[in-house]
Amino acid sequence: MSNYFSIGKLASAHGLQGDLVLRHSLGKRSALKGVTVIFLEERKNSFIPYFIQQVTVKDTESVYIKLEGIDTKEAAHKLMPAQVYLQEEDFKQQTASSAPLALLGFAVEDQQYGPLGTIEEVIEMPMQVLVKVFIKGKEALLPVNEQSLVKVDKKNQTVHLNLPDGLIELYTG
């Protein structure tokens, strides 16, 4: 089974021909060059492929996207709002290495507690990034900011953090 990574969501319809606006978190202007298919999650863990006919860059966070078989504004509206996923290989090619989204799948290690888990989701906030990790089966949201981030080891796919005292206990206690 492929791994799917969320890159953003279908935000709105554009025009009358079924074009959509895809708001993404790839961290760079992208026309999704080389990507032929995106996936929409219709039900939990059920990913439906949609083939891309055309992508036009709107700005650094959005593209206009034309999907095969979506030819009317009404058809486009039926798809919204939907999270958009790429398969792992496409995701890695499209994401700027500096984008927080590139941390998906990395291991998290804290200086005090050692290995905590794997980053399941990246949530971008105005002043910081939160990463979702499961610690002993419990969902934990950990801040990645100037105070907590020690380093990102891309080679070993590990994020090293120095989390505030008591934060891990909130999730494990």
Side-chain angles (χ1 to χ4, degrees):
M1 188 183 128
S2 291
N3 285 330
Y4 297 94
F5 293 93
S6 173
I7 60 162
K9 69 179 186 182
L10 297 175
S12 62
H14 177 72
L16 302 173
Q17 307 301 313
D19 292 18
L20 291 145
V21 175
L22 164 57
R23 302 231 356 120
H24 62 75
S25 304
L26 296 171
K28 63 181 180 182
R29 284 176 74 92
S30 175
L32 301 177
K33 193 169 167 42
V35 177
T36 57
V37 63
I38 62 169
F39 294 85
L40 304 181
E41 191 175 31
E42 293 212 332
R43 290 183 309 283
K44 186 108 177 95
N45 294 322
S46 172
F47 296 93
I48 307 301
Y50 285 87
F51 291 91
I52 297 173
Q53 285 183 324
Q54 186 181 350
V55 175
T56 311
V57 174
K58 180 179 179 217
D59 55 39
T60 54
E61 295 173 354
S62 306
V63 295
Y64 297 116
I65 189 165
K66 176 79 175 130
L67 300 175
E68 214 171 86
I70 307 298
D71 299 320
T72 64
K73 192 174 183 177
E74 293 73 27
H77 275 287
K78 283 183 184 164
L79 298 179
M80 296 182 309
Q83 287 290 323
V84 174
Y85 295 83
L86 293 180
Q87 286 180 312
E88 187 168 10
E89 190 179 314
D90 285 341
F91 174 80
K92 287 190 167 140
Q93 288 173 350
Q94 296 300 321
T95 311
S97 59
S98 60
L101 207 54
L103 300 176
L104 270 174
F106 277 38
V108 176
E109 278 192 29
D110 180 65
Q111 283 186 330
Q112 190 176 343
Y113 291 93
L116 296 176
T118 303
I119 297 175
E120 303 287 334
E121 185 179 352
V122 176
I123 303 160
E124 293 186 62
M125 308 289 280
M127 298 302 286
Q128 71 181 352
V129 171
L130 295 174
V131 294
K132 179 163 65 173
V133 176
F134 285 93
I135 301 173
K136 296 182 182 169
K138 285 191 177 159
E139 181 181 301
L141 294 175
L142 307 175
V144 178
N145 55 33
E146 286 178 11
Q147 289 80 36
S148 67
L149 183 63
V150 176
K151 74 172 186 176
V152 175
D153 179 349
K154 288 190 174 130
K155 187 172 175 242
N156 295 311
Q157 295 203 329
T158 305
V159 178
H160 295 273
L161 300 176
N162 184 7
L163 295 166
D165 287 344
L167 183 64
I168 300 302
E169 287 83 358
L170 283 175
Y171 297 110
T172 58

